[in-house]
Amino acid sequence: MRYFLVKQDKEYTKMPRLMNWFGKIKTECICPGGYKQLEEDYVFMIESKENTEYTDLVMEPFYMISNMMKYVLEVYEPNLVFTELYLLDKKIKKAYEYYIPHLNEYDCLTCKSKIEFQRTQLTYGELDLEKLGDHSIFYLAGMKKKHLVIREDLAESLLRRGFYGVNLERLDTVNEEKLLIRFEKEDL
C-alpha cells in the first residue's frame, strides 16, 4: 500500500488569503470532535491579488478543499465531517466555496522520519502501516502544522479527475506484511 503527502503545488503562488480569520477558527478544532466547537459555515473576505488562483487545495492558514474534492473524499470516507467556508473576493465580486475536512490524526511515523522547523515540516516520511491500519485519508499526529496523507487509491482518483493545485509526495512505508496478516485474521 502506498501513501502520499498532499501538498500545495508550488507553481501556484497567487492563492487566496483569508482576512480576519484568526480568533474565528481555532486550528486545534480542526479534528473529528472539534467541529462541534465551530460554526457550520463561515464567510471570509479574501485579500485579493491580480489573477488570484482558486485551486482545489489551499493549505494556508489550514487545509481547505474545493466542493468537487470534498465529493471525492466522501466516496472514500463517507462519515467525514466538514466545515463550510465562503471566500468573498470583492475585487471581482465573486464567492468561492471551500471546505475544511475534520480528519483523524494517526501517530504512524517511524523513527527514520525527519521532522524539522519545530515539528512544522516533514522532510522525509516513513509510515508504519501496522500502527496506521487501513485509512484512506488522515493527518499525521505529533506535528505542529497539519500534514495531510492519502492512500494510493484515493490519490489515483484525484489525479484522474484533474484537480489542480495539488502535489503528491510519496511516503515510504514499513510493516505492510504485518498489516495484511492482521486483515486476514480479521476475515476469519
Side-chain angles (χ1 to χ4, degrees):
M1 241 178 288
R2 294 181 185 160
Y3 284 86
F4 297 86
L5 187 63
V6 180
K7 294 183 167 185
Q8 184 78 54
D9 190 331
K10 292 181 181 174
E11 287 186 27
Y12 299 95
T13 57
K14 297 179 180 178
M15 306 305 299
R17 290 189 50 182
L18 276 63
M19 296 171 52
N20 303 319
W21 70 271
F22 195 75
K24 294 179 183 173
I25 295 183
K26 296 177 184 170
T27 54
E28 62 270 12
C29 294
I30 301 175
C31 62
Y35 71 91
K36 295 174 186 170
Q37 298 173 37
L38 298 174
E39 304 288 326
E40 272 187 45
D41 56 24
Y42 290 87
V43 177
F44 291 106
M45 302 303 289
I46 64 143
E47 190 177 299
S48 190
K49 302 174 191 166
E50 190 173 327
N51 300 323
T52 298
E53 298 169 304
Y54 293 92
T55 57
D56 289 298
L57 172 73
V58 178
M59 287 179 50
E60 296 294 334
F62 33 74
Y63 278 95
M64 297 179 282
I65 60 172
S66 67
N67 190 38
M68 190 61 191
M69 196 170 188
K70 172 187 177 277
Y71 170 76
V72 174
L73 296 185
E74 288 175 322
V75 170
Y76 288 84
E77 296 286 342
N79 297 322
L80 274 182
V81 176
F82 298 89
T83 297
E84 192 170 17
L85 301 176
Y86 295 97
L87 308 185
L88 302 178
D89 189 331
K90 273 184 154 178
K91 192 174 191 176
I92 61 171
K93 296 182 172 106
K94 199 165 181 185
Y96 295 86
E97 187 176 24
Y98 280 90
Y99 295 87
I100 301 172
H102 295 272
L103 304 170
N104 287 315
E105 291 186 0
Y106 293 101
D107 185 9
C108 56
L109 287 173
T110 69
C111 60
K112 289 183 181 178
S113 297
K114 291 185 175 49
I115 302 168
E116 297 180 5
F117 301 109
Q118 299 178 342
R119 303 195 69 76
T120 61
Q121 187 175 9
L122 182 68
T123 55
Y124 170 75
E126 182 180 75
L127 303 179
D128 184 339
L129 296 183
E130 186 178 25
K131 289 180 182 178
L132 176 60
D134 186 33
H135 301 284
S136 60
I137 182 168
F138 59 92
Y139 290 129
L140 293 173
M143 304 291 291
K144 286 187 179 177
K145 188 175 179 182
K146 300 275 188 207
H147 285 69
L148 181 64
V149 177
I150 60 175
R151 196 174 54 209
E152 183 175 27
D153 54 341
L154 174 53
E156 288 172 352
S157 186
L158 293 174
L159 292 172
R160 275 194 308 271
R161 286 167 175 79
F163 289 105
Y164 78 103
V166 180
N167 190 12
L168 301 176
E169 181 181 306
R170 186 173 172 194
L171 298 169
D172 290 335
T173 57
V174 296
N175 291 330
E176 183 171 0
E177 65 285 345
K178 290 182 181 178
L179 178 66
L180 294 174
I181 290 168
R182 190 173 88 204
F183 286 141
E184 288 173 5
K185 287 181 182 177
E186 288 174 3
D187 288 340
L188 296 177

